[in-house]
Amino acid sequence: MALTFLYRAFCRVPQILRRLGGDRMQLAVEVVLLRHEVIVLRRQIARPSLLPADRAILSGLARIVSRARRQGLLVQPETLLRWHRNLVARRWTYSKKPGRPSLPAGTMALICRLATENPTWGYRRIHGELATMGIVVGDGRKGVSRRATSARG
């Protein structure tokens, strides 16, 4: 939360200065951006490996520079968008698996056997019989009835 506030404040201050200073301020911001890129590139010989702080500085300053001047920078607009997508994906992750929980193989085999041995039973009856045996499954309106009736063949 605090990092988000600092990042937004970091982006807003140069934007305000840009409006007050005009083209000279935009050139000054571009110089700062280019100097930071040089610092990053001097740290390594191979492909640049950016730290999270580098990404924040580059993306924050790139928002201020005009689109025409962004083309020659170390970070392309597509890269900035990818960083944003990754950040959002990491922020909004859920550990819950999608879909229904699976049934054990023995329970599924029992449901199919009950359906084939008793062709007049519907899904509610099969569900009731499983409940009397102490096996807890859904009521079958979406999953059990289709599986059980497909086993009848």
Side-chain angles (χ1 to χ4, degrees):
M1 192 65 137
L3 290 176
T4 303
F5 173 75
L6 289 174
Y7 175 72
R8 288 182 186 226
F10 177 74
C11 291
R12 294 292 180 216
V13 169
Q15 285 176 348
I16 292 169
L17 293 175
R18 177 181 158 203
R19 288 186 182 144
L20 295 175
D23 289 337
R24 291 187 70 194
M25 181 52 70
Q26 185 170 351
L27 288 174
V29 168
E30 188 176 357
V31 167
V32 170
L33 178 63
L34 291 171
R35 284 183 181 172
H36 188 74
E37 284 184 355
V38 169
I39 291 169
V40 170
L41 290 173
R42 285 185 180 165
R43 270 193 250 152
Q44 65 268 337
I45 298 171
R47 183 174 180 236
S49 60
L50 300 172
L51 301 174
D54 298 327
R55 292 179 180 182
I57 290 171
L58 292 174
S59 62
L61 292 175
R63 293 176 63 181
I64 300 166
V65 177
S66 66
R67 286 182 184 232
R69 295 189 182 229
R70 278 189 224 161
Q71 296 304 321
L73 298 177
L74 170 70
V75 179
Q76 296 298 316
E78 295 82 21
T79 307
L80 295 172
L81 290 174
R82 189 185 73 233
W83 289 347
H84 179 70
R85 280 192 304 269
N86 292 342
L87 179 67
V88 170
R90 271 186 271 128
R91 174 75 173 105
W92 300 105
T93 56
Y94 298 100
S95 61
K96 187 176 106 172
K97 284 184 170 180
R100 290 178 153 227
S102 60
L103 292 174
T107 304
M108 201 61 221
L110 178 62
I111 292 171
C112 291
R113 196 178 97 219
L114 286 173
T116 53
E117 290 177 0
N118 305 296
T120 58
W121 287 8
Y123 66 89
R124 288 185 184 259
R125 177 76 185 265
I126 293 173
H127 180 259
E129 289 296 322
L130 291 172
T132 59
M133 292 181 210
I135 300 172
V136 179
V137 293
D139 64 357
R141 294 180 195 183
K142 293 182 182 169
V144 175
S145 65
R146 288 191 192 128
R147 291 177 183 161
T149 54
S150 66
R152 290 184 206 166

